[in-house]
Amino acid sequence: MKVVILTGAGMSAESGISTFRDNGGLWDRYNVEDVATPEGWMRNPALVTEFYNERRRQLLGAEPCQGHRLVAELERKHDVTVITQNVDDLHERAGSTNVIHLHGELMKVTSSLSPNDPRYVRTLSPDDPEVRMGDKAGDGSQVRPFIVWFGEAVPEIERAALACQEAEVFVIIGTSLNVYPAAGLTMYVPPSAPIYLIDPKPVKWNSQRSFRHIMKGASEGMACLTEMLNGKAEG
């Protein structure tokens, strides 16, 4: 069975990764225009570089939660594609093998002149995750985070939409469904595919589609969902 899972900040919150939008989240402590826009980068690349160095230090101290591991374990019985709005690598570290990162990857850097040119994208080592001013990409420009900032195109959105079109089951975990273009991916899910939403809080989702809301956190919700899906596979 083809299972497509869309994950947001609530997926990694159980691993201790700071969310952006909740009370006390990163946008309460930082001005988004300063650290997550091309204009902020142009104004003060040193500030942006240190902001993402801090994010990497936090990430390297985190471990996948049980929810991440249960998503990965679904691959034993199902064809699973994970589409994530998160920039961490916790899905991969948990064992997921087919992950589409809509907003980039924190442990990667790229050219500040041609950020989406694969020739200039490289993965940082956990032993040396710091980026310094003066570090150069292959084209000689200062390296920048391999992150899709506000106002930039989302290169992976087409691949994500194609995956959604093939879904037999669609699962949403820990995302408000208010951030586009990710929120629009549900429009590509076939009418025949059931949609499950895992989130402990009420979600205002303006959709014409019916869905089953599992009002639990990522780990508890995935445990419930796993039982449901494995029952479908055996039935």
Side-chain angles (χ1 to χ4, degrees):
M1 185 162 55
K2 177 68 175 178
V3 181
V4 178
I5 302 176
L6 173 64
T7 68
M11 182 81 232
S12 295
E14 290 183 24
S15 294
I17 300 297
S18 295
T19 61
F20 286 86
R21 297 173 185 278
D22 289 339
N23 290 336
L26 289 173
W27 297 149
D28 282 349
R29 290 181 279 137
Y30 295 91
N31 188 331
V32 61
E33 287 83 7
D34 290 338
V35 296
T37 64
E39 294 78 14
W41 170 256
M42 294 294 291
R43 281 194 305 270
N44 193 342
L47 172 68
V48 177
T49 294
E50 181 51 35
F51 174 81
Y52 288 98
N53 281 340
E54 183 183 337
R55 305 278 72 72
R56 289 186 203 97
R57 289 192 289 267
Q58 181 192 40
L59 174 57
L60 290 171
E63 295 293 334
C65 70
Q66 181 66 2
H68 290 107
R69 289 190 283 270
L70 289 172
V71 167
E73 286 177 14
L74 281 181
E75 292 189 18
R76 296 179 184 177
K77 294 187 176 182
H78 306 284
D79 178 5
V80 180
T81 298
V82 177
I83 303 167
T84 187
Q85 296 168 267
N86 300 332
V87 297
D88 60 60
D89 60 355
L90 295 174
H91 278 300
E92 288 89 345
R93 283 161 54 188
S96 290
T97 61
N98 186 15
V99 183
I100 300 172
H101 283 271
L102 290 179
H103 296 159
E105 298 178 63
L106 185 56
M107 291 302 296
K108 294 182 178 181
V109 292
T110 187
S111 158
S112 54
L113 293 178
S114 302
N116 295 315
D117 190 325
R119 294 176 297 173
Y120 305 131
V121 179
R122 63 181 176 88
T123 302
L124 298 171
S125 164
D127 296 328
D128 186 19
E130 303 282 316
V131 173
R132 302 158 189 88
M133 295 306 298
D135 290 351
K136 303 296 185 186
D139 60 358
S141 68
Q142 169 68 39
V143 298
R144 58 160 271 184
F146 185 57
I147 301 292
V148 177
W149 286 327
F150 289 97
E152 293 186 318
V154 181
E156 292 285 75
I157 195 67
E158 184 174 341
R159 188 157 73 101
L162 290 173
C164 291
Q165 290 175 350
E166 298 175 352
E168 294 176 86
V169 173
F170 191 74
V171 184
I172 303 162
I173 307 174
T175 176
S176 65
L177 289 171
N178 290 324
V179 180
Y180 284 82
L185 288 172
T186 55
M187 295 187 296
Y188 295 92
V189 178
S192 58
I195 295 178
Y196 297 90
L197 172 63
I198 297 173
D199 198 292
K201 297 176 291 188
V203 174
K204 294 179 181 178
W205 181 25
N206 296 320
S207 172
Q208 303 304 312
R209 290 287 297 271
S210 61
F211 62 96
R212 177 165 181 175
H213 188 179
I214 302 173
M215 293 189 71
K216 297 179 182 293
S219 296
E220 282 190 86
M222 270 305 303
C224 292
L225 183 71
T226 298
E227 290 186 14
M228 294 179 198
L229 295 185
N230 288 343
K232 282 177 178 263
E234 291 163 6

